Amino acid sequence: MDESMVRHRDWLAYVGPFQFPWGQPGSRRVVGIASSLASSGYHVVVASGEDGPQAISTLEGVDGPGSVSYLGLGETASVGGSLLARAAHFAVRLGRRTVDWLDAQPTRPSHVMVYGGAAQYMLHLRRWCRRNRVPLLADVVEWYDPRHLRGGFLGPLHLSSESAMRYFYPRCAGIVAISSYLEDYYRGLGTNVVRVPPTLDVRTLRVGPAVRRQAADLSLVYFGTPGRKDLLGTMVRAVDRLERQGAAIELHIYGPTATQVRDLAGLERLPKGVDVRGRLAQQEMPQALREADFSVILRRPERFAQAGFPTKFCESLANGTPVIANLTSDLGDYLRHGVEGLVCDGWSETELADVLHAALELAPAQRDAMRGAARAQALESFDYRGYAPQLSVLLETARP
């Protein structure tokens, strides 16, 4: 696809000030939604805040009559200089390059969908859409905890996020919500909402037999940057507890450094079975997942966890790896105890240690059955093609 694509009457702009390359968690959300729209016949142009690529490039392998393309607008990546200059850009100019790009197109998009738009960004986009009578929709995937943002409760990032969540998004022509928590919130405000969990191309993901190379009785894997979301320290301490009782457990950690893991766990030395492997390329993740008996996700049931939805949960099931997790967000809709994995009753070290002990007692046939059920659940619930009809209806009924 080339620049002439934007002359098509059904092209849709999927925009936002995000700065992640394809393959990162945020971009996987964007690719999933854009691919669903392409399945419905829309030609989607994803315009991010990155510096590049400046020219439109096409995403290959999308199943449907439409297409997905990508370019960077330099909305945020080019900002440098002093803290004052960056603050001024965030407060005043964020969103202007996106609006200028929309103005420069020979044909207006049928819709504009925003991902991760702060209040300032939304202000520019809302004005442009109202002036050009183009429906504005928002893809809402989380509700930040102010403790997770620089500046805290009274910081500009939190204030901007809250303004977007409570003022700008409810005034959009439609909402794509990643969780039932967000769906219920915006539906209660009278907004047209469709719930779409994290999606990916499950159907064409090749999943062979499990390749278990570890010698331990139980092999676990964790992916991500825990920050204050994932209770990685609790996971490590639970493994340490069972290891001291004589269990042979391995926990392979991808993302944080060994120092970060020790600090999170509050331990001077990591347990023998904890293997911190650093960052892993996205294309290598499926193999690492399939080598484990379970992936592990543990979060406190606070608002940020209920409003969001962990992409790694879907990726684990898609690769046929069962999940051990406590039930936050909508995980309970897809994770049944003893079927697609094991449900942890809480999020404490003791409760996780109990469910790990139960995992140790599983027979090989039970683990194999869980792998099959995990994959089947992903095919049914997380393939992007399955959400094309709902998204198409949302766009067809959206009005400027």
Side-chain angles (χ1 to χ4, degrees), residues 203-364:
R203 187 184 300 176
T204 60
L205 179 65
R206 296 182 179 180
V207 179
V211 183
R212 197 173 187 281
R213 297 176 180 173
Q214 287 77 26
D217 295 331
L218 182 65
S219 176
L220 311 171
V221 65
Y222 169 85
F223 283 90
T225 305
R228 298 184 182 180
K229 290 185 177 182
D230 295 331
L231 299 175
L232 181 56
T234 302
M235 301 177 201
V236 172
R237 291 193 299 273
V239 169
D240 184 49
R241 174 182 292 202
L242 276 97
E243 193 174 272
R244 291 175 183 275
Q245 296 173 4
I249 299 180
E250 293 180 351
L251 172 60
H252 302 279
I253 299 173
Y254 296 91
T257 65
T259 299
Q260 290 172 325
V261 175
R262 284 196 302 269
D263 290 343
L264 288 168
L267 300 173
E268 292 185 5
R269 300 182 64 181
L270 292 176
K272 180 182 178 181
V274 174
D275 177 22
V276 182
R277 299 190 173 185
R279 295 189 179 277
L280 187 69
Q282 179 65 23
Q283 63 269 22
E284 297 175 6
M285 185 187 69
Q287 181 68 22
L289 274 169
R290 293 167 198 162
E291 290 178 1
D293 297 313
F294 295 89
S295 64
V296 187
I297 302 171
L298 201 67
R299 294 180 172 182
R300 293 186 179 89
E302 298 175 1
R303 187 185 68 180
F304 76 88
Q306 306 293 49
F309 195 118
T311 301
K312 55 191 160 192
F313 175 83
C314 310
E315 292 173 329
S316 186
L317 295 192
N319 282 281
T321 302
V323 178
I324 292 175
N326 64 317
L327 298 182
T328 58
S329 186
D330 299 315
L331 297 193
D333 293 345
Y334 313 101
L335 177 61
R336 294 167 292 177
H337 188 72
V339 183
E340 295 86 4
L342 298 174
V343 175
C344 186
D345 290 334
W347 58 97
S348 71
E349 176 186 327
T350 300
E351 289 162 319
L352 180 57
D354 288 343
V355 78
L356 293 181
H357 181 77
L360 283 163
E361 298 298 316
L362 293 171

Side-chain angles (χ1 to χ4, degrees), residues 16-17 90 94-95 114-125 156-157 159-165 168-169:
F90 180 79
L94 187 65
V114 178
Y115 175 94
Q120 297 84 340
Y121 190 87
M122 290 297 297
L123 178 64
H124 289 292
L125 264 293
L157 294 179
L159 296 177
S160 177
S161 173
E162 286 293 298
S163 296
M165 297 291 291
F168 286 103
Y169 295 160

